[in-house]
Amino acid sequence: MYYCAAKLPVPCFDFTDFVLVAMKLLCALCILACSGCLTLQVFGHASDASDQNDSTAPRKMLEKKLISSAMEILDIFDYHNQPFSEPADRRVKGFVLGYVTPWNNKGYDRAVKYAQKFTHISPVWLQVHPGEARGEDYVVKGTHDIDNGWVTRIRESNPKIKIVPRFLLEGFDGKSFQALIYDNDKAQSFAVAVAKILKENKLDGAVLEMWKPVSDDGDRKAMRQAIKTIASKLKKDGFQTVLVVPPSGGQNVAGRLRSEDFAFLADSIVAFSVMTYDHPETYSRFVEAAEGP
């Protein structure tokens, strides 16, 4: 992870100068926030031991101007979007997951260009809704965003890569979420709906965003059982499941993933993705609906 800092000039200047500098700094920070067209999570360890043990590595990074002790604001504008390593260079042996979004097309192109660096790519395409209105348990929406041409291109760039679209729960209130986690048949139906989309589009698995910060211990255990049921069904059908979980936040945070939950799910989940990229409003709605006024 890289951190950037911009140092404001100390000498006196008038208010107009201050506003201009502040605006430039704000723009620079916005660029940093928005330029990550590809959200990246790495699971594993650095494979290049020579770099880890090379005492000259910091000097080499300074020589290549990858880091600076005297960064200027305009440096962020000049270098924020420039990659360092070659597309085929891979420095990590472990599980590497990248997210791409349909509202930022640059992510698609970068995923193809740097496909050799990833083991898994998760397009943020799909949402699972309760399907009672259609006479079904669950309906998957967002299929219009599926880009099979892009899937072909990225597999040409890296034949070993796994395409695991994210499935987000939407339209669930407390009652429908409770039905999903407490009714095994509902969990099976959920898995069938997800597997159907994966089979139709020849995809490799799912990133499941289903863990919710419920405060009741019984609900938490029911939720992890439902997740295990869904992931086990997908695994039986030949698909991988990555589970999105919230960061710990401390021992007393309701709904955090505990070590016992990890152990319970580990044999059916290929990886856990710590969700630091978003904070859906649906999380709080689930808790409010489940707990009541």
Side-chain angles (χ1 to χ4, degrees), residues 195-212:
K196 180 175 182 291
I197 298 298
L198 299 178
K199 290 175 183 176
E200 290 176 349
N201 294 279
K202 299 180 180 179
L203 302 171
D204 301 299
V207 171
L208 182 60
E209 190 160 338
M210 179 177 165
W211 188 275
K212 308 300 176 187

PDB file of all heavy atoms in Angstrom, residues 195-212:
ATOM      1  N   ALA A 195     -26.012 -20.242  -9.228  1.00  0.00           N
ATOM      2  CA  ALA A 195     -25.359 -21.223 -10.095  1.00  0.00           C
ATOM      3  C   ALA A 195     -25.896 -21.160 -11.520  1.00  0.00           C
ATOM      4  O   ALA A 195     -25.146 -21.354 -12.493  1.00  0.00           O
ATOM      5  CB  ALA A 195     -25.536 -22.629  -9.523  1.00  0.00           C
ATOM      6  N   LYS A 196     -27.175 -20.872 -11.663  1.00  0.00           N
ATOM      7  CA  LYS A 196     -27.781 -20.781 -12.989  1.00  0.00           C
ATOM      8  C   LYS A 196     -27.101 -19.695 -13.827  1.00  0.00           C
ATOM      9  O   LYS A 196     -26.777 -19.902 -14.998  1.00  0.00           O
ATOM     10  CB  LYS A 196     -29.278 -20.492 -12.854  1.00  0.00           C
ATOM     11  CG  LYS A 196     -30.040 -20.370 -14.170  1.00  0.00           C
ATOM     12  CD  LYS A 196     -31.529 -20.214 -13.904  1.00  0.00           C
ATOM     13  CE  LYS A 196     -32.319 -20.133 -15.201  1.00  0.00           C
ATOM     14  NZ  LYS A 196     -32.074 -18.885 -15.946  1.00  0.00           N
ATOM     15  N   ILE A 197     -26.881 -18.542 -13.223  1.00  0.00           N
ATOM     16  CA  ILE A 197     -26.222 -17.430 -13.920  1.00  0.00           C
ATOM     17  C   ILE A 197     -24.778 -17.800 -14.263  1.00  0.00           C
ATOM     18  O   ILE A 197     -24.291 -17.512 -15.372  1.00  0.00           O
ATOM     19  CB  ILE A 197     -26.255 -16.157 -13.067  1.00  0.00           C
ATOM     20  CG1 ILE A 197     -27.700 -15.721 -12.807  1.00  0.00           C
ATOM     21  CG2 ILE A 197     -25.463 -15.035 -13.724  1.00  0.00           C
ATOM     22  CD1 ILE A 197     -28.479 -15.375 -14.055  1.00  0.00           C
ATOM     23  N   LEU A 198     -24.081 -18.431 -13.323  1.00  0.00           N
ATOM     24  CA  LEU A 198     -22.691 -18.810 -13.557  1.00  0.00           C
ATOM     25  C   LEU A 198     -22.580 -19.825 -14.691  1.00  0.00           C
ATOM     26  O   LEU A 198     -21.679 -19.721 -15.552  1.00  0.00           O
ATOM     27  CB  LEU A 198     -22.074 -19.378 -12.277  1.00  0.00           C
ATOM     28  CG  LEU A 198     -22.028 -18.429 -11.068  1.00  0.00           C
ATOM     29  CD1 LEU A 198     -21.442 -19.150  -9.851  1.00  0.00           C
ATOM     30  CD2 LEU A 198     -21.211 -17.177 -11.386  1.00  0.00           C
ATOM     31  N   LYS A 199     -23.481 -20.779 -14.712  1.00  0.00           N
ATOM     32  CA  LYS A 199     -23.458 -21.796 -15.769  1.00  0.00           C
ATOM     33  C   LYS A 199     -23.774 -21.192 -17.127  1.00  0.00           C
ATOM     34  O   LYS A 199     -23.094 -21.479 -18.122  1.00  0.00           O
ATOM     35  CB  LYS A 199     -24.468 -22.904 -15.442  1.00  0.00           C
ATOM     36  CG  LYS A 199     -24.086 -23.787 -14.268  1.00  0.00           C
ATOM     37  CD  LYS A 199     -25.208 -24.783 -13.945  1.00  0.00           C
ATOM     38  CE  LYS A 199     -24.873 -25.625 -12.718  1.00  0.00           C
ATOM     39  NZ  LYS A 199     -25.997 -26.528 -12.335  1.00  0.00           N
ATOM     40  N   GLU A 200     -24.785 -20.346 -17.164  1.00  0.00           N
ATOM     41  CA  GLU A 200     -25.199 -19.750 -18.445  1.00  0.00           C
ATOM     42  C   GLU A 200     -24.100 -18.901 -19.064  1.00  0.00           C
ATOM     43  O   GLU A 200     -23.998 -18.809 -20.293  1.00  0.00           O
ATOM     44  CB  GLU A 200     -26.459 -18.905 -18.246  1.00  0.00           C
ATOM     45  CG  GLU A 200     -27.704 -19.707 -17.952  1.00  0.00           C
ATOM     46  CD  GLU A 200     -28.912 -18.828 -17.657  1.00  0.00           C
ATOM     47  OE1 GLU A 200     -28.731 -17.600 -17.475  1.00  0.00           O
ATOM     48  OE2 GLU A 200     -30.035 -19.375 -17.588  1.00  0.00           O
ATOM     49  N   ASN A 201     -23.281 -18.295 -18.235  1.00  0.00           N
ATOM     50  CA  ASN A 201     -22.251 -17.381 -18.737  1.00  0.00           C
ATOM     51  C   ASN A 201     -20.838 -17.942 -18.622  1.00  0.00           C
ATOM     52  O   ASN A 201     -19.864 -17.223 -18.859  1.00  0.00           O
ATOM     53  CB  ASN A 201     -22.350 -16.056 -17.982  1.00  0.00           C
ATOM     54  CG  ASN A 201     -23.641 -15.323 -18.276  1.00  0.00           C
ATOM     55  OD1 ASN A 201     -23.761 -14.650 -19.287  1.00  0.00           O
ATOM     56  ND2 ASN A 201     -24.622 -15.461 -17.391  1.00  0.00           N
ATOM     57  N   LYS A 202     -20.741 -19.231 -18.266  1.00  0.00           N
ATOM     58  CA  LYS A 202     -19.459 -19.927 -18.194  1.00  0.00           C
ATOM     59  C   LYS A 202     -18.460 -19.180 -17.304  1.00  0.00           C
ATOM     60  O   LYS A 202     -17.313 -18.944 -17.679  1.00  0.00           O
ATOM     61  CB  LYS A 202     -18.895 -20.142 -19.599  1.00  0.00           C
ATOM     62  CG  LYS A 202     -19.797 -20.990 -20.486  1.00  0.00           C
ATOM     63  CD  LYS A 202     -19.208 -21.179 -21.880  1.00  0.00           C
ATOM     64  CE  LYS A 202     -20.133 -22.025 -22.740  1.00  0.00           C
ATOM     65  NZ  LYS A 202     -19.604 -22.215 -24.121  1.00  0.00           N
ATOM     66  N   LEU A 203     -18.929 -18.827 -16.100  1.00  0.00           N
ATOM     67  CA  LEU A 203     -18.105 -18.138 -15.123  1.00  0.00           C
ATOM     68  C   LEU A 203     -17.607 -19.147 -14.080  1.00  0.00           C
ATOM     69  O   LEU A 203     -18.034 -20.305 -14.083  1.00  0.00           O
ATOM     70  CB  LEU A 203     -18.901 -17.009 -14.480  1.00  0.00           C
ATOM     71  CG  LEU A 203     -19.434 -15.978 -15.493  1.00  0.00           C
ATOM     72  CD1 LEU A 203     -20.388 -15.001 -14.826  1.00  0.00           C
ATOM     73  CD2 LEU A 203     -18.288 -15.240 -16.165  1.00  0.00           C
ATOM     74  N   ASP A 204     -16.717 -18.707 -13.202  1.00  0.00           N
ATOM     75  CA  ASP A 204     -15.992 -19.654 -12.359  1.00  0.00           C
ATOM     76  C   ASP A 204     -16.425 -19.673 -10.897  1.00  0.00           C
ATOM     77  O   ASP A 204     -15.980 -20.533 -10.138  1.00  0.00           O
ATOM     78  CB  ASP A 204     -14.496 -19.334 -12.412  1.00  0.00           C
ATOM     79  CG  ASP A 204     -13.955 -19.404 -13.833  1.00  0.00           C
ATOM     80  OD1 ASP A 204     -14.026 -20.489 -14.438  1.00  0.00           O
ATOM     81  OD2 ASP A 204     -13.495 -18.363 -14.339  1.00  0.00           O
ATOM     82  N   GLY A 205     -17.246 -18.728 -10.493  1.00  0.00           N
ATOM     83  CA  GLY A 205     -17.648 -18.694  -9.097  1.00  0.00           C
ATOM     84  C   GLY A 205     -18.280 -17.367  -8.753  1.00  0.00           C
ATOM     85  O   GLY A 205     -18.647 -16.587  -9.636  1.00  0.00           O
ATOM     86  N   ALA A 206     -18.384 -17.108  -7.454  1.00  0.00           N
ATOM     87  CA  ALA A 206     -19.092 -15.919  -6.996  1.00  0.00           C
ATOM     88  C   ALA A 206     -18.370 -15.278  -5.821  1.00  0.00           C
ATOM     89  O   ALA A 206     -17.820 -15.973  -4.958  1.00  0.00           O
ATOM     90  CB  ALA A 206     -20.524 -16.279  -6.573  1.00  0.00           C
ATOM     91  N   VAL A 207     -18.357 -13.955  -5.806  1.00  0.00           N
ATOM     92  CA  VAL A 207     -18.004 -13.194  -4.606  1.00  0.00           C
ATOM     93  C   VAL A 207     -19.326 -12.847  -3.938  1.00  0.00           C
ATOM     94  O   VAL A 207     -20.139 -12.104  -4.501  1.00  0.00           O
ATOM     95  CB  VAL A 207     -17.209 -11.925  -4.952  1.00  0.00           C
ATOM     96  CG1 VAL A 207     -17.051 -11.046  -3.721  1.00  0.00           C
ATOM     97  CG2 VAL A 207     -15.841 -12.290  -5.516  1.00  0.00           C
ATOM     98  N   LEU A 208     -19.551 -13.410  -2.791  1.00  0.00           N
ATOM     99  CA  LEU A 208     -20.847 -13.307  -2.116  1.00  0.00           C
ATOM    100  C   LEU A 208     -20.801 -12.235  -1.027  1.00  0.00           C
ATOM    101  O   LEU A 208     -20.051 -12.356  -0.053  1.00  0.00           O
ATOM    102  CB  LEU A 208     -21.223 -14.660  -1.515  1.00  0.00           C
ATOM    103  CG  LEU A 208     -22.574 -14.767  -0.816  1.00  0.00           C
ATOM    104  CD1 LEU A 208     -23.717 -14.456  -1.778  1.00  0.00           C
ATOM    105  CD2 LEU A 208     -22.748 -16.162  -0.221  1.00  0.00           C
ATOM    106  N   GLU A 209     -21.585 -11.189  -1.207  1.00  0.00           N
ATOM    107  CA  GLU A 209     -21.659 -10.131  -0.195  1.00  0.00           C
ATOM    108  C   GLU A 209     -22.955 -10.324   0.585  1.00  0.00           C
ATOM    109  O   GLU A 209     -23.998  -9.738   0.279  1.00  0.00           O
ATOM    110  CB  GLU A 209     -21.600  -8.752  -0.846  1.00  0.00           C
ATOM    111  CG  GLU A 209     -21.429  -7.641   0.163  1.00  0.00           C
ATOM    112  CD  GLU A 209     -20.902  -6.347  -0.431  1.00  0.00           C
ATOM    113  OE1 GLU A 209     -20.279  -6.386  -1.498  1.00  0.00           O
ATOM    114  OE2 GLU A 209     -21.123  -5.286   0.188  1.00  0.00           O
ATOM    115  N   MET A 210     -22.860 -11.147   1.626  1.00  0.00           N
ATOM    116  CA  MET A 210     -24.059 -11.562   2.359  1.00  0.00           C
ATOM    117  C   MET A 210     -23.905 -11.428   3.864  1.00  0.00           C
ATOM    118  O   MET A 210     -24.893 -11.407   4.594  1.00  0.00           O
ATOM    119  CB  MET A 210     -24.377 -13.020   1.976  1.00  0.00           C
ATOM    120  CG  MET A 210     -25.592 -13.611   2.665  1.00  0.00           C
ATOM    121  SD  MET A 210     -25.935 -15.283   2.077  1.00  0.00           S
ATOM    122  CE  MET A 210     -27.061 -15.825   3.379  1.00  0.00           C
ATOM    123  N   TRP A 211     -22.669 -11.339   4.362  1.00  0.00           N
ATOM    124  CA  TRP A 211     -22.473 -11.253   5.810  1.00  0.00           C
ATOM    125  C   TRP A 211     -22.962  -9.895   6.312  1.00  0.00           C
ATOM    126  O   TRP A 211     -22.504  -8.852   5.859  1.00  0.00           O
ATOM    127  CB  TRP A 211     -21.005 -11.443   6.168  1.00  0.00           C
ATOM    128  CG  TRP A 211     -20.784 -11.546   7.649  1.00  0.00           C
ATOM    129  CD1 TRP A 211     -20.630 -10.520   8.528  1.00  0.00           C
ATOM    130  CD2 TRP A 211     -20.725 -12.746   8.419  1.00  0.00           C
ATOM    131  NE1 TRP A 211     -20.481 -11.001   9.803  1.00  0.00           N
ATOM    132  CE2 TRP A 211     -20.538 -12.367   9.778  1.00  0.00           C
ATOM    133  CE3 TRP A 211     -20.823 -14.106   8.105  1.00  0.00           C
ATOM    134  CZ2 TRP A 211     -20.420 -13.304  10.799  1.00  0.00           C
ATOM    135  CZ3 TRP A 211     -20.711 -15.030   9.121  1.00  0.00           C
ATOM    136  CH2 TRP A 211     -20.504 -14.626  10.448  1.00  0.00           C
ATOM    137  N   LYS A 212     -23.886  -9.922   7.245  1.00  0.00           N
ATOM    138  CA  LYS A 212     -24.477  -8.695   7.786  1.00  0.00           C
ATOM    139  C   LYS A 212     -24.174  -8.560   9.279  1.00  0.00           C
ATOM    140  O   LYS A 212     -24.063  -9.561   9.989  1.00  0.00           O
ATOM    141  CB  LYS A 212     -25.996  -8.694   7.577  1.00  0.00           C
ATOM    142  CG  LYS A 212     -26.431  -8.959   6.137  1.00  0.00           C
ATOM    143  CD  LYS A 212     -25.889  -7.925   5.182  1.00  0.00           C
ATOM    144  CE  LYS A 212     -26.254  -8.265   3.743  1.00  0.00           C
ATOM    145  NZ  LYS A 212     -25.597  -7.341   2.780  1.00  0.00           N
TER     146      LYS A 212
END
